[in-house]
Amino acid sequence: MGKHFHLYENISKVDPFEGPQYHLAPSWAFYLQTLFMGFVFLAGTPLNILVLLATAKYKKLRAPLNYILVNISFAGFIFVTFSVSQVFVCSARGYYFLGYTMCALEAAMGAVAGLVTSWSLAMLSLERYLVICKPFGAFKFGSSHAAGAVVFTWFMGVGCASPPFFGWSRYIPEGLGCACGPDWYTNDQELGTTSYMYFLLITCFCMPLSIIIFSYSQLLGALRAVAAQQAESASTQKAEKEVSRMIIVMVGSFVTCYAPSSSLFLRLQFNACIMEMVFGKKMEEASEVSSKTEVSTAS
């Protein structure tokens, strides 16, 4: 199946699967993306492999509380080896030359890895809340609980990334046309592209972030209560500062990584403004794009 996406006005309408997309942005933007993706691939692949190999070699690293950390590393490994690698080679050629099927698979794998990572961070904060704050009394966090948390992250990842394969929205080339993702460009009522974007906004961003904020705020509150009882204890005061710093880093990193995409789900016209401001390319309004999108099939 081939899909033609006419997103830009007064410029060449080259299919993103058939030729370079240098009409979307200056060539330096493609070179910069190629260098960045190459760096992410070369740095991320060995780091994630080292974590996985160390976990396999040393039994002490396979403690229940480390399951979710290994899960994050495994999701990262999948992301860099399957998605980042494809974006790297496609950016070097200026378009997604691997075809529609690989585009959909690349987008789906990237979505699964991203969702697994976001929910893993949420489960990590929840695990710490359960172990330290003990809301259920004498609760022992064991292997079955850790394994259940890991399974849940993959259930959410696969479950939330699969709908485009069954008619709810679709995966298409995005950005410079060298990577693929859910269709957040158009407002296709038949495919439900907008409703799917709101679905991802809730499941990928709002819900995990809410769990992270709740869990770490409870953890910080418990630690402050202990610190108040031991006001003269230097170690307790130091622990409170370290936890506070950890919370700021965790929440800040999560918001930094996921908020930009989540914001564009809500304000699609931001993409047009950014493209026009940075590259001088004017993009059509979403309603116009939806009406002009052409779909063709080939045996």
Side-chain angles (χ1 to χ4, degrees):
M1 178 182 289
K3 292 180 180 290
H4 301 265
F5 306 99
H6 296 175
L7 301 177
Y8 298 86
E9 293 179 333
N10 303 321
I11 51 177
S12 173
K13 293 181 173 61
V14 180
D15 191 298
F17 297 119
E18 297 177 355
Q21 303 293 291
Y22 297 136
H23 56 279
L24 299 183
S27 57
W28 61 261
F30 291 84
Y31 301 148
L32 183 62
Q33 180 168 278
T34 302
L35 290 174
F36 177 73
M37 288 299 170
F39 169 76
V40 173
F41 176 76
L42 293 176
T45 302
L47 287 175
N48 285 302
I49 289 177
L50 283 175
V51 172
L52 296 175
L53 290 178
T55 304
K57 182 177 181 179
Y58 298 102
K59 186 177 180 180
K60 62 182 179 180
L61 294 179
R62 297 195 291 273
L65 287 174
N66 287 340
Y67 283 19
I68 207 72
L69 297 176
V70 178
N71 192 49
I72 293 174
S73 183
F74 182 63
F77 174 74
I78 291 177
F79 180 71
V80 295
T81 55
F82 195 89
S83 293
V84 173
S85 60
Q86 291 189 42
V87 179
F88 168 69
V89 296
C90 290
S91 298
R93 295 190 60 174
Y95 69 107
Y96 198 88
F97 65 92
L98 300 175
Y100 177 75
T101 300
M102 288 301 294
C103 172
L105 290 175
E106 183 270 315
M109 293 298 287
V112 169
L115 282 161
V116 168
T117 300
S118 65
W119 276 105
S120 292
L121 292 174
M123 292 298 101
L124 179 64
S125 65
L126 187 61
E127 289 175 359
R128 290 175 173 175
Y129 164 65
L130 294 175
V131 171
I132 297 176
C133 296
K134 300 184 183 302
F136 302 116
F139 174 78
K140 183 178 180 182
F141 189 82
S143 299
S144 60
H145 302 102
V150 170
V151 171
F152 175 77
T153 63
W154 285 94
F155 170 79
M156 293 299 297
V158 175
C160 295
S162 297
F165 291 112
F166 301 98
W168 190 15
S169 191
R170 59 186 172 181
Y171 288 123
I172 63 171
E174 62 178 0
L176 297 180
C178 303
C180 298
D183 181 4
W184 53 272
Y185 291 98
T186 67
N187 183 19
D188 193 313
Q189 297 295 329
E190 183 178 353
L191 291 175
T193 54
T194 301
S195 61
Y196 182 66
M197 286 299 98
Y198 282 112
F199 170 71
L200 286 183
L201 173 67
I202 294 172
T203 57
C204 182
F205 182 74
C206 295
M207 292 174 64
L209 181 60
S210 298
I211 293 174
I212 290 172
I213 293 176
F214 169 79
S215 299
Y216 283 129
S217 63
Q218 293 296 309
L219 180 61
L220 182 60
L223 185 58
R224 283 180 173 174
V226 174
Q229 298 175 358
Q230 303 177 9
E232 297 180 357
S233 174
S235 60
T236 303
Q237 300 299 325
K238 181 179 179 181
E240 181 183 356
K241 292 181 180 179
E242 290 179 351
V243 171
S244 301
R245 190 181 301 113
M246 178 192 68
I247 293 173
I248 294 173
V249 171
M250 285 286 292
V251 175
S253 299
F254 187 92
V255 173
T256 300
C257 292
Y258 289 93
S261 296
S262 300
S263 299
L264 289 173
F265 292 165
L266 293 173
R267 292 290 183 269
L268 304 186
Q269 61 266 38
F270 269 79
N271 184 71
C273 296
I274 292 172
M275 291 296 288
E276 184 173 355
M277 179 181 67
V278 178
F279 302 126
K281 305 298 183 181
K282 187 176 180 181
M283 196 170 97
E284 300 177 5
E285 294 296 329
S287 59
E288 297 176 4
V289 174
S290 179
S291 64
K292 294 183 180 181
T293 300
E294 299 175 5
V295 180
S296 64
T297 58
S299 58

